[in-house]
Amino acid sequence: GNNVLEFGFATGLLTVPLAKAGFCVDSVDISAEMLEVTKEKLSCLDGATQKRVNLILGDMLEYSCEKKYDLIAMADSLLLALTSFEGQLKLLKKANNLLRLDGVLAFDIFPPNLKVIGEGTHHDFTRFKLPDGTKYIVKREEVIDSSMQFHYINLDFDELDRNAKIVKSTAARIKYRYIYQYELMLMLRINGFEVISIDQNFDEKIKNEAWLARKVKEM
């Protein structure tokens, strides 16, 4: 179909190509900062493409409309960013309510990291350089709370000068609730979906899986 609802447009990495491909896209995100970033990207497109996109500032769990969509897309492990079982179920139920019968829910997730879950913690670091020559060291700590299926990712970005001295540090703290495959299949089923496909080779770089599920009954 042609009518797409996107949950979590962020920087527009999915929004823009959907619009370019000819889809009519309603896209919801709670961040005003991300709204401005995506608006700026859309402003570089032709007028007809821009008109196919409706950016909506708001909470995806509270979004409602009379329209029934052909496709709902959720990128970048958005489902896992809801860190309660109840919140994840609520999002799937919301998707069911907004899709037409036989409409499709498309999303990606990263599967549980069994090695880190077994160890409880994991540490590593990487280096990278920006095009302008600025060098960074990224320290990464992963911590698992297996009782709640919480995955904490703590990142510290250290900017280095020419003498490899740290001149600036930036921290990012991320929390996900990971989901096991058969748990997610059951969550989809009880919210009126059947799984069409699971592509485990969707993204070789970050090892994400792409899921497609069809709405088979009203909830």
Side-chain angles (χ1 to χ4, degrees):
N2 190 49
N3 292 312
V4 176
L5 173 63
E6 180 189 21
F7 283 145
F9 54 76
T11 61
L13 288 178
L14 181 59
T15 317
V16 171
L18 282 171
K20 285 183 175 180
F23 293 100
C24 297
V25 185
D26 290 339
S27 196
V28 184
D29 199 294
I30 202 168
S31 170
E33 290 81 5
M34 293 297 96
L35 179 69
E36 293 306 315
V37 171
T38 303
K39 272 186 176 180
E40 179 65 24
K41 289 185 178 180
L42 290 172
S43 70
C44 299
L45 305 179
D46 64 84
T49 303
Q50 291 184 47
K51 288 180 180 179
R52 288 196 288 269
V53 180
N54 177 29
L55 298 180
I56 302 162
L57 183 63
D59 185 341
M60 61 188 177
L61 293 176
E62 303 301 326
Y63 177 73
S64 63
C65 69
E66 296 298 322
K67 185 189 304 183
K68 292 289 186 178
Y69 294 92
D70 302 306
L71 171 72
I72 293 179
M74 305 187 298
D76 201 22
S77 296
L78 180 67
L79 179 62
L80 305 187
L82 295 173
T83 55
S84 73
F85 178 68
E86 294 78 14
Q88 291 171 343
L89 284 177
K90 185 176 181 180
L91 181 58
L92 295 177
K93 183 177 180 180
K94 172 66 68 173
N96 178 286
N97 292 338
L98 291 166
L99 278 171
R100 63 168 174 79
L101 197 61
D102 289 330
V104 173
L105 175 64
F107 61 95
D108 73 304
I109 62 168
F110 63 82
N113 188 324
L114 299 182
K115 183 177 185 295
V116 177
I117 292 171
E119 295 174 350
T121 59
H122 178 74
H123 297 82
D124 62 25
F125 74 93
T126 57
R127 301 171 183 265
F128 71 91
K129 183 169 65 174
L130 297 180
D132 65 4
T134 307
K135 296 179 180 178
Y136 286 88
I137 291 179
V138 183
K139 291 174 285 187
R140 180 186 181 100
E141 177 190 48
E142 297 184 61
V143 180
I144 296 293
D145 177 352
S146 58
S147 65
M148 301 297 291
Q149 295 179 204
F150 291 155
H151 187 162
Y152 300 90
I153 302 175
N154 302 318
L155 300 169
D156 292 287
F157 299 84
D158 293 336
E159 182 181 338
L160 308 178
D161 64 14
R162 293 181 179 179
N163 299 313
K165 300 292 185 181
I166 298 173
V167 296
K168 182 181 178 181
S169 293
T170 304
R173 302 292 179 252
I174 306 167
K175 177 182 177 183
Y176 292 100
R177 181 186 180 273
Y178 59 87
I179 309 175
Y180 293 102
Q181 184 179 104
Y182 287 104
E183 176 190 9
L184 181 50
M185 293 175 75
L186 180 59
M187 292 167 68
L188 287 163
R189 186 184 304 165
I190 65 177
N191 279 287
F193 291 97
E194 67 173 8
V195 176
I196 302 171
S197 68
I198 305 170
D199 184 355
Q200 296 178 329
N201 298 311
F202 164 67
D203 192 323
E204 286 293 333
K205 184 177 180 181
I206 59 175
K207 307 301 183 185
N208 274 21
E209 299 175 345
W211 286 60
L212 295 177
R214 180 184 291 112
K215 176 179 172 177
V216 293
K217 65 177 180 180
E218 300 286 351
M219 298 301 296

